[in-house]
Structure formats: structure tokens, C-alpha cells
Amino acid sequence: MKAINMNSLLRPTRYLGIGSALLASLLILAGCSVAPTYERPAVDTPAAFKEAGPQVGENGSQWKAAQPSEDIARGEWWKIFGDDSLNALEDRAQQANQDLKAAAARLGQARALTKDARSGYFPQVDAGIGATRQRPSPASQGLPADANTQPFTLYRAQANISYEVDLFGRVASNVDAATADAQRSEALFHSVLLALQADVAQQYFLVRELDAALDLYTGTVKLRQESLRLVQRRFDEGDISEVDVARARSELASAQSEALGITRQRATAEHALAILLGSTPAEFALPARPLTRISLAVPSGLPSTLLERRPDIAAAERSMAAANARVGVAKSAFFPALNLTGGLGYESAQLGDLFNWSSRTFLLGPLVGTALSMPIFDGGRRQAGVDRARASYEEQVATYRGTVLNAFREVEDNLANLRILGDQSRAQDEAVAASVRAAKLSHTQYQEGAVSYFSVIDADRTVLQQQRASVTLDGERARSTVNLIRALGGGWGTAPAAATQLSSK
């Protein structure tokens, strides 16, 4: 009987144990990550806004942050103004504005890069077919140097598989960075969207303000024409000198010139609004309608909520997260990398035999180089990469904190603007009423011959100046209200899902 070799029986078991231990070790290492734990850096947040005032407006209106009204669509903050024309313009801008479409395309690119990074979690498989013609050297075949070797053709059809084992979190850190970049792009898209909404509203109110000013000057021109006829009749009757006629003509021409100047400004503002709507100026016209006074109280909320509401702050925070993940990518370069490759297919010296079962072949292990690579010396290149990644992270931290500070400033500025503009408008209303009263008295005294026409002109000019100032303040209040809403991050509801809609077009 032949003796049994126990070592030969134990050898496969030993190899299996070694392979299992190696696989377990690789799985453990694959769960390791050298990326630093990300934590949002602290920022100084005041308990309340310094300039925050009463939440109820002059007309009793109130916009509640916690409980938006049912008639105000979530995220559509401009509907608080109750202007159907503005509502239509906002909808049109979100469908056709080119800057918004460009932002949506950038978001699509970022999301595609995230998918590209996630592909690193999976093996890469490709297939190919081809032929090689070669003549081996006599030395490679163990033949004498003068031996004759024949060239031959080798046909191959095979599938190649490659896979990087994520030992120290390089792939995971890349995915984290790409994901944060995509989230940043989404926040930037909403920032562009909010800026567009605010720009449309501001430009709309500017056009309406100019309509009110033009309406004011149109009435002034009519008044100046009536005054000129009155003065001309009195001059013809010999009651006054030609000086009063000349002054009346001068005031009429001045009012007409001012009206034409406002018409020019309105045309320019309307053209700018057309571009925001994605139209050429020739394709857009906004009917004239004077601006009415807007008195709305926008609740500022708590400063801490601003960090969650502003899309630019969200974008800056996501930039920090991406930079933090890239620190992990840079640090993983110090550790071994394991790349598994293999090939499976057919090869044959005859094309007709290529797909025969006897022509099958496989290759396990690296096709080129080594499977497990360990960095030893690189002259400081890897450390420089880590230093650069950390410096980039510190830059993003400073940018984030600066963005938060600027957001607080913008809110405070617009709260102060609205509070002071409210007081200024009340004072201006008194000035308008007083100037109108003075003008009436001057006209009466002039008809009675108690004062010269110069006093009438001066009184009328004062009325026009005060009314023009009042219209300007109304426009400033409307735009400051829009600016405050923009500074607070827009509506209190969820942002509209316009990114997906635009990116699909």
C-alpha cells in the first residue's frame, strides 16, 4: 500500500486559511478611512437682529414665517405683493432666463461627476477582440542564437476586469467630495434662482416707479400749459409784463424735458426687464401702471435660521465639506493601494478555432506592474498634496464665515432701510401736503394780484419736487422689501424644483 503524505493533504487547507486571512485583512482595511471627520465650524451668531422692528405693517398686513398663508405658494415669495403682473413675469423668467439655464446645466455637470466618482465602488469591465503578429526570439525559446523561429498570428477575444480595493478610503473620499460639490452646485442654482426672482421684482418696481413719475410729470405739463394760457391771456389784456410769459414758457419746457428724460429711463428699465425674461426688448412691452405704496412687514426671524435659509451660505458650507473630503484623498496617497485585474476569454493561432472550448484562457493579477503598491519616497510630493488640501479647507472655512457675516450685514442694512424709509415717507407726506397747500394759496394770491408770477412758479416747482421725492421713496421701499426677502433667503417654503426641470430641457 502506498503511504499517504499528510503534508500534501494539509497544504490546500493551509493555503485556504492563508487566503481567508488575507481576504479578511483586506476587508478590514477597506473599512478604514484616513479622511478627517467633518464638522461645521462655529460662527458667531447674534441672538436677534439689531434693526428688527415690529412685525406688523402700516396696513395691518403680516407675513408669518412659521405658518405661510394658504394663498401664497410655497417658495413663491413675490406673491405677497398681490400683483398679478409681477406673478406672471416671475413665472416667465424662471422658464426662459438664460443665466438660470446655465446654472441648471452646471448642476447637471456636478451630478454627473458624482456618478463618475461613485463608479469607483464597482469593478470596471471591458471586452475586446483583436490579433497580434509576432516572431519570438530564439533565446526566449531556449534555442541556439542562429536558430530559425517562425512568426505566428495569435487571435484574442477576452473580457478584462479591474477593481481598486478601497483600502484607506480614497474612493469613498472622492465620492464624498463629488457629492458635496453637487450639493454646492444645487445651492448655487437656488442662489441664482433667488437672485433672478429678486432682480425681476426690483426691475418691475423700478418700471412702476418711473410710470408713477411720468404720470406726475404728465400732470405737471398739463398744469404748466394751463398756466401759460392764463398768463398769455393776462399779458394780452395788459395786466402783466412779458417776463411772466417767458417764465411760464420756461417752466412748461422744463417739465416737458423732465417727462422725456423719465420716458428714456423707463425704456431702458423695460429693456433690462426683457433680458431677465429671456426675451429681446423688441418682443416685450409692459403697459404703464403707476406704482402704489407698498407697506409690508417681512419678519426677519432669528439670525440662526439665516444659516439654514440662505443658498449662498449653504453653498459655502458644502464647499467646506468637499475640501475636507479632499484632505482624505490626499492623505490616502501615503498608504498602500491594491488594484485587482484579470482577463477571461479565448485565444487561438487560427481564427476559426478562436471560440472553441479548448481555446479558453484567463489571467489573474496585474496586467502591468504590481497589484499592491506601497509609497516609499517621493521627495515630499504627497505631503505637499496634503498641505495644499488642508490650506484649501482653511480657505473655504474663512469664505464660509465671511459669507455668514455678509448675510447678517445685508439683513441689518435692509431692516434699517425699511424702518428709516417708513419714517421718511411719513415726513415726506407732510411735506407734500404743505407744499400743495402753499401752491394753492400762491395761485389765489396771484389771481388777486397780491404776489408776482415768480411766487406761483416757485410754489409749483416745490410741489413737483416734493411729489417726485415721495414717488422715489415709494420705489425705494418696494425695492428694499425685495432686498430684505432676498437677504433672508427667499420664501419660507421649499424651493421650487426648477433645477430638474431646466436641466432636462
Side-chain angles (χ1 to χ4, degrees):
M1 180 180 294
K2 187 176 180 179
I4 298 176
N5 189 341
M6 297 300 295
N7 289 334
S8 64
L9 293 177
L10 294 174
R11 189 176 296 116
T13 305
R14 184 186 310 120
Y15 290 157
L16 180 61
I18 294 174
S20 299
L22 178 60
L23 178 61
S25 300
L26 293 178
L27 291 175
I28 293 173
L29 288 175
C32 298
S33 176
V34 295
T37 302
Y38 174 69
E39 294 182 0
R40 182 185 299 181
V43 293
D44 294 331
T45 304
F49 290 110
K50 173 184 177 182
E51 300 290 346
Q55 300 300 306
V56 180
E58 295 176 1
N59 61 352
S61 63
Q62 186 174 17
W63 191 12
K64 296 182 180 180
Q67 299 176 354
S69 301
E70 292 298 328
D71 58 341
I72 299 179
R74 302 190 69 186
E76 298 178 335
W77 53 264
W78 56 88
K79 290 189 175 181
I80 190 176
F81 295 104
D83 192 320
D84 292 337
S85 296
L86 176 59
N87 297 342
L89 293 177
E90 292 285 0
D91 293 339
R92 181 174 173 180
Q94 292 181 64
Q95 294 297 324
N97 182 265
Q98 298 303 313
D99 291 336
L100 190 61
K101 289 184 177 182
R106 290 192 293 270
L107 175 56
Q109 296 173 45
R111 288 173 173 171
L113 289 175
T114 301
K115 294 179 181 178
D116 180 73
R118 288 186 180 277
S119 67
Y121 283 132
F122 306 96
Q124 307 299 305
V125 182
D126 60 78
I129 185 170
T132 58
R133 180 73 174 172
Q134 67 182 43
R135 179 180 181 274
S137 65
S140 67
Q141 305 297 316
L143 300 175
D146 58 349
N148 185 23
T149 57
Q150 296 298 320
F152 66 93
T153 302
L154 186 63
Y155 298 93
R156 287 190 180 91
Q158 64 182 29
N160 299 318
I161 303 174
S162 62
Y163 177 66
E164 178 184 354
V165 181
D166 194 17
L167 294 181
F168 295 95
R170 190 194 70 82
V171 175
S173 294
N174 264 328
V175 172
D176 290 342
T179 301
D181 281 337
Q183 292 169 343
R184 171 181 176 272
S185 293
E186 185 171 2
L188 289 176
F189 170 83
H190 289 298
S191 183
V192 173
L193 177 61
L194 176 59
L196 171 64
Q197 294 167 347
D199 288 344
V200 169
Q202 288 182 329
Q203 203 66 27
Y204 173 78
F205 286 130
L206 175 59
V207 173
R208 293 306 185 210
E209 176 193 335
L210 293 173
D211 285 340
L214 185 59
D215 186 62
L216 179 63
Y217 275 95
T218 300
T220 301
V221 168
K222 293 180 180 179
L223 179 62
R224 295 287 188 267
Q225 290 172 340
E226 291 294 331
S227 297
L228 177 59
R229 282 194 291 268
L230 173 63
V231 172
Q232 183 66 48
R233 185 174 66 250
R234 295 192 61 185
F235 171 73
D236 294 339
E237 294 174 355
D239 295 337
I240 58 176
S241 66
E242 190 178 356
V243 174
D244 290 343
V245 177
R247 286 174 176 170
R249 292 185 184 278
S250 174
E251 290 299 315
L252 174 60
S254 177
Q256 291 172 334
S257 176
E258 290 288 343
L260 290 173
I262 293 175
T263 302
R264 175 181 55 81
Q265 294 176 34
R266 190 199 187 277
T268 302
E270 186 181 72
H271 298 166
L273 183 56
I275 300 303
L276 291 174
L277 302 180
S279 303
T280 63
E283 298 172 328
F284 176 73
L286 188 65
R289 196 181 75 195
L291 175 69
T292 57
R293 177 165 297 179
I294 295 174
S295 299
L296 295 172
V298 178
S300 58
L302 297 176
S304 59
T305 63
L306 196 65
L307 305 183
E308 303 172 359
R309 295 174 45 77
R310 293 256 307 209
D312 56 339
I313 294 179
E317 187 274 330
R318 288 291 84 196
S319 293
M320 283 191 303
N324 181 81
R326 290 191 174 93
V327 174
V329 175
K331 291 175 67 176
S332 67
F334 282 99
F335 298 89
L338 179 61
N339 292 279
L340 303 179
T341 58
L344 178 65
Y346 300 89
E347 65 178 13
S348 173
Q350 300 295 327
L351 183 60
D353 299 332
L354 180 60
F355 292 102
N356 291 339
W357 182 250
S358 60
S359 300
R360 67 190 185 279
T361 182
F362 71 90
L363 173 65
L364 297 179
L367 301 176
V368 178
T370 58
L372 185 64
S373 60
M374 168 71 80
I376 297 178
F377 178 75
D378 61 4
R381 181 175 61 85
R382 291 177 176 84
Q383 185 58 49
V386 174
D387 293 342
R388 178 180 179 276
R390 285 175 174 165
S392 177
Y393 173 74
E394 293 299 329
E395 177 189 2
Q396 297 304 324
V397 170
T399 300
Y400 169 73
R401 287 174 171 160
T403 303
V404 172
L405 290 175
N406 186 64
F408 288 151
R409 179 191 62 81
E410 290 179 355
V411 174
E412 296 284 10
D413 285 350
N414 287 287
L415 286 172
N417 284 345
L418 287 174
R419 175 175 56 81
I420 297 172
L421 282 171
D423 296 337
Q424 191 174 359
S425 294
R426 286 188 287 272
Q428 187 62 38
D429 290 343
E430 295 178 2
V432 170
S435 63
V436 170
R437 174 62 178 167
K440 288 182 178 180
L441 294 175
S442 296
H443 279 275
T444 301
Q445 292 175 347
Y446 175 73
Q447 292 173 359
E448 295 175 352
V451 296
S452 67
Y453 190 67
F454 180 80
S455 298
V456 174
I457 291 175
D458 186 62
D460 288 343
R461 188 184 297 120
T462 300
V463 171
L464 179 61
Q465 291 174 348
Q466 298 301 332
Q467 290 176 336
R468 183 70 178 92
S470 181
V471 169
T472 301
L473 286 177
D474 289 343
E476 288 291 335
R477 291 182 70 179
R479 289 189 293 274
S480 291
T481 301
V482 173
N483 278 335
L484 177 58
I485 296 172
R486 178 178 181 176
L488 291 171
W492 269 259
T494 57
T500 304
Q501 298 171 5
L502 288 174
S503 61
S504 63
K505 293 183 178 181

